[in-house]
Amino acid sequence: MSRLMIIGCGGVASVAIHKCCQNSDVFTEIMIASRTVSKCDALKEKLQGTTKTKITTAKVDADNVDELVALMESYKPDAVLNVALPYQDLTIMDACLKAGVNYIDTANYEPEDTDDPTWRAIYEKRCKEEGFTAYFDYSWQWAYQEKFKEAGLMALLGTGFDPGVTSVFSAYALKHYFDEIHTIDILDCNGGDHGYPFATNFNPEINLREVSANGSYWENGHWVETKPMEIKREYNFPQVGEKDMYLLHHEEIESLAKNIPGVKRIRFFMTFGQSYLTHMKCLENVGMLSTSPINFNGQEIVPIQFLKALLPDPASLGPRTVGKTNIGCIFTGVKDGKEKTIYIYNVCDHQECYKEVGSQAISYTTGVPAMIGSMMVVDGTWKGAGVFNVEEFDPDPYMEALNKWGLPWVVDENPQIVE
């Protein structure tokens, strides 16, 4: 029996909520809290007749620590699952510390305002010291380690798919297939087609900032940075086919470099079609991806937020998206003195996801692991005080849960490798 507070009500949150309600033996009670309480109420209305889980809803501003604390102290959850925006990670972590509640999220912190002078000074120092320029990194949340440890609370970071499942795949590979892992290539392929000229599969602000930034990878103990979309490879993805993929910076590289001993290189690739890249470059060239406020007709607007309002809502893509995703990791290393290569991956069908929970596979592949990570915390399968990434725990129960709750995985022991 447990009580989980879920903050957020977008596509990923909706999937996580659906899956918690399917798993009512563990999640006996949930609260859905968001700034737009009508969305929470609509989800409750849809689900409450189909589950034994008791659902309550609440209005909360996830930027307001005092509001969050008051709600947590009133509801008294065993844990808080943050599926709001990465901008709000730190305020929710602060609230969890004050209220004495465990914390779980799917994506690491990044600032909403990248021109903020205080944040900028810390960011520029990190760029020089670490050698990568992405706006998002784990340093802000890892800095909470002692606070959570002293409070006897757990903060579980990054239990989506990538980061999340890909990191658990890495821990599983090290436990069962390797004595040493030397290289990890994380491959994220979306073979789906939504029929729009241009749309993003998750929050446009986060998605477009991520893919228009410099790429980077970890090699021989340090970061190597590349220009946006500079490194391109082709890969024949099982059940999807041949796709172009591009090297990006991604957050799990940072934690895996820290937590997988002896790893020599970690790269992350994501597939994009030429039409997507052309649209994105055009928008970037005219300033529409900027996070800096501008004055328009006497009103201050942020270009990328205005663009978000123009683009299709990712939550609306479910009924019209067809095709499959394939996300996984290719590992090379040594077992019993012999070189070895394996590929662990999951294939997810957009339409099957929509039939089950009313969302496409991008939301599904993040929402299911969000529920699983929450389960690991609230039922005590994973225990600890402090701030943790998912690869720091025993991967086996998480891997079993993936098979049970809709994300079955495959181990290919003779895969095509990426040059």
Side-chain angles (χ1 to χ4, degrees), residues 71-115:
L71 187 60
M72 290 178 200
E73 288 180 340
S74 161
Y75 186 62
K76 296 183 170 40
D78 298 295
V80 167
L81 170 60
N82 167 18
V83 274
L85 293 169
Y87 312 147
Q88 296 158 330
D89 287 1
L90 303 187
T91 54
I92 298 172
M93 289 180 84
D94 286 335
C96 284
L97 281 168
K98 287 189 175 183
V101 180
N102 295 310
Y103 170 88
I104 303 150
D105 71 25
T106 63
N108 69 5
Y109 173 72
E110 63 177 292
E112 185 168 18
D113 179 10
T114 55
D115 294 323

Side-chain angles (χ1 to χ4, degrees), residues 3 24 27-31 51-56 75:
R3 182 178 283 186
S24 52
F27 300 102
T28 48
E29 298 182 39
I30 63 169
M31 171 182 276
T51 178
K52 291 188 289 181
T53 301
K54 182 183 176 185
I55 305 169
T56 54
Y75 186 62

Side-chain angles (χ1 to χ4, degrees), residues 230-403:
E230 179 185 354
I231 296 179
K232 173 188 170 184
R233 298 286 186 270
E234 293 177 0
Y235 198 81
N236 190 5
F237 289 89
Q239 298 189 47
V240 176
E242 194 88 17
K243 293 285 180 184
D244 292 339
M245 61 183 189
Y246 297 82
L247 186 142
L248 303 182
H249 176 84
H250 224 246
E251 59 218 73
E252 67 265 49
I253 301 175
E254 191 182 4
S255 70
L256 290 172
K258 175 185 166 192
N259 293 321
I260 302 295
V263 68
K264 293 179 170 62
R265 188 189 71 202
I266 313 171
R267 303 183 297 185
F268 179 95
F269 292 91
M270 186 176 279
T271 62
F272 296 99
Q274 194 52 54
S275 174
Y276 181 98
L277 297 177
T278 302
H279 276 83
M280 189 186 75
K281 194 66 189 170
C282 178
L283 291 166
E284 184 179 28
N285 287 343
V286 298
M288 286 301 293
L289 302 190
S290 171
T291 59
S292 301
I294 62 163
N295 191 283
F296 177 74
N297 287 348
Q299 190 171 350
E300 193 176 81
I301 64 167
V302 176
I304 198 166
Q305 291 178 357
F306 178 69
L307 175 62
K308 177 184 174 183
L310 293 175
L311 290 174
D313 179 353
S316 72
L317 300 180
R320 55 186 296 147
T321 305
V322 296
K324 296 177 180 180
T325 62
N326 180 317
I327 315 174
C329 304
I330 299 172
F331 304 96
T332 68
V334 172
K335 178 70 173 177
D336 299 329
K338 295 177 183 175
E339 290 189 0
K340 187 176 183 69
T341 303
I342 68 166
Y343 178 23
I344 309 179
Y345 64 89
N346 161 265
V347 174
C348 208
D349 185 290
H350 285 287
Q351 282 299 298
E352 291 302 315
C353 295
Y354 184 72
K355 283 176 199 166
E356 184 193 340
V357 298
S359 297
Q360 34 83 336
I362 304 301
S363 297
Y364 192 89
T365 53
T366 305
V368 173
M371 180 278 286
I372 292 172
S374 300
M375 177 171 65
M376 297 292 113
V377 174
V378 301
D379 73 3
T381 300
W382 287 353
K383 294 185 175 116
V387 177
F388 301 91
N389 294 87
V390 292
E391 67 270 18
E392 295 180 72
F393 294 99
D394 179 9
D396 291 359
Y398 196 110
M399 294 290 279
E400 289 166 17
L402 288 169
N403 281 331

